[in-house]
Amino acid sequence: MAVARVKTWVIGDELTQTDLNAEFNNVLDNGTAMAFPLDRNVEAAGFDLTEIDEVAFATTAATVASAIGRLRRNGANITWHDGTGGQSLMLLGSNYIGGLELSDVIGTTQLNDITIATGVATDTTNSTLLRLTAALNKRVDEAWVVGGSTGGLDTGAVNLTTAVITYHVHLIKRPDTGVVDALFSTSPNAPVMPTNYTLRRRIGSMLYTTTLGFAEFTQMEDRFYLNTEVTDVTATTSETTTVITRTLRVPTGINVLAEGIMRVIASTGGAAAVLITDPNETDQTPAAGTGFSTIVVHQDAVSFGTHFQCRTNTSAQIRTRRNTTGTGESITISTRGWVDVRGRNGGL
């Protein structure tokens, strides 16, 4: 603003010590106004600086024409405005997730516990950061209660009739208090949220067995490795060239990149080719040589193995197909783990 007049002088007024001190103090106390008089904005290289202070940017509607090329505050977020709308700077890190790795709590009394490491992720709308500042331990077999070493199940009770169940771990936030917690749900995208918790992000998915609790695993970023490899497919009978759907020990409800070992035995002459595919792909006939195949066996009655990666459908399934038939033709598949991008690509 402009410097305010201290006193309007008229004929006959007497200049006093008080008047002089007041005028000088006015100048000293209004340095900014003296430098930028006549109510002009403070500018640097043509950019308005009057609405910026040490703690926040000014709030301006996204459609205000004067907001062109400006950073403005929209609630807790900083947005870039072009005069017709605003874009949150958080979207520069869309679907971001860092840390928040899961680990099973090994112990005879803690088979149903998962610990979540510190970290941060954007919520599903990319509008808010969910920040976990201290490691959090939650139990799947008890109803959700806020805080650590408490229950984390969203609704109902643990299913004791299904041998293997997928529980999805959601980081959740209550906007009115800023409290961040975690929740277990059989749903990857629609957990039953506690009262006042409206923000969430799926940060991982785990396999739960009714007899052993969570399958012991190790997480490294997006990779989940089972501590003990499990055999999911053991084919001891004759196989045909018909495509077969195989179910693996990986999470359901989401697509993951399953990792495992496939072992093949060929009992007939010639090269036996086997192809592993995603059930959502177009089915193809495997062939040795220049054809499509995951593994080719050239020797009868000998087991050959190969490491594979294959995207699953939401039922934890892949497909296998071979080009040979006959008694003794077999496939064994062991699952080592899976890759889960945890919503990083904009999906679940």
Side-chain angles (χ1 to χ4, degrees), residues 265-335:
I265 295 179
S267 63
T268 59
V274 180
L275 179 65
I276 295 179
T277 55
D278 175 354
N280 295 311
E281 294 179 33
T282 300
D283 181 33
Q284 299 182 77
T285 301
T290 60
F292 298 101
S293 63
T294 304
I295 187 173
V296 177
V297 179
H298 291 278
Q299 187 173 352
D300 295 347
V302 175
S303 175
F304 284 83
T306 185
H307 177 268
F308 73 88
Q309 290 185 326
C310 183
R311 185 175 184 265
T312 65
N313 62 15
T314 56
S315 297
Q317 295 172 328
I318 60 173
R319 288 185 311 207
T320 64
R321 187 170 184 177
R322 62 189 304 150
N323 69 337
T324 57
T325 62
T327 303
E329 302 283 315
S330 68
I331 295 175
T332 300
I333 298 178
S334 299
T335 304

Side-chain angles (χ1 to χ4, degrees), residues 41-217:
N41 289 336
V42 181
E43 294 184 353
F47 293 97
D48 177 18
L49 301 178
T50 58
E51 294 184 319
I52 297 179
D53 60 29
E54 294 180 353
V55 295
F57 293 90
T59 301
T60 300
T63 55
V64 173
S66 64
I68 295 176
R70 305 285 173 82
L71 289 173
R72 301 287 175 174
R73 179 171 58 82
N74 181 8
N77 300 316
I78 302 299
T79 57
W80 174 261
H81 293 274
D82 60 7
T84 59
Q87 183 67 66
S88 172
L89 294 189
M90 185 179 293
L91 290 184
L92 295 176
S94 292
N95 306 306
Y96 176 79
I97 183 170
L100 302 172
E101 293 185 344
L102 309 178
S103 58
D104 53 333
V105 181
I106 301 173
T108 55
T109 62
Q110 296 178 310
L111 297 176
N112 302 323
D113 292 28
I114 288 290
T115 295
I116 304 147
T118 59
V120 62
T122 56
D123 77 314
T124 53
T125 65
N126 277 306
S127 62
T128 303
L129 285 177
L130 311 181
R131 190 184 305 276
L132 189 65
T133 58
L136 185 65
N137 183 52
K138 303 294 284 189
R139 292 192 287 269
V140 71
D141 57 339
E142 297 180 13
W144 182 87
V145 177
V146 66
S149 299
T150 59
L153 187 60
D154 63 342
T155 186
V158 172
N159 186 335
L160 297 179
T161 60
T162 302
V164 181
I165 315 161
T166 298
Y167 279 102
H168 304 280
V169 186
H170 301 268
L171 199 66
I172 59 176
K173 182 175 181 178
R174 177 173 172 167
D176 57 344
T177 62
V179 173
V180 174
D181 208 279
L183 186 72
F184 296 107
S185 177
T186 56
S187 173
N189 57 359
V192 179
M193 300 284 280
T195 302
N196 295 320
Y197 286 80
T198 58
L199 303 170
R200 68 166 187 86
R201 169 70 174 271
R202 188 185 65 83
I203 60 173
S205 301
M206 293 312 311
L207 303 177
Y208 181 84
T209 65
T210 56
T211 55
L212 299 175
F214 282 110
E216 294 182 4
F217 66 94

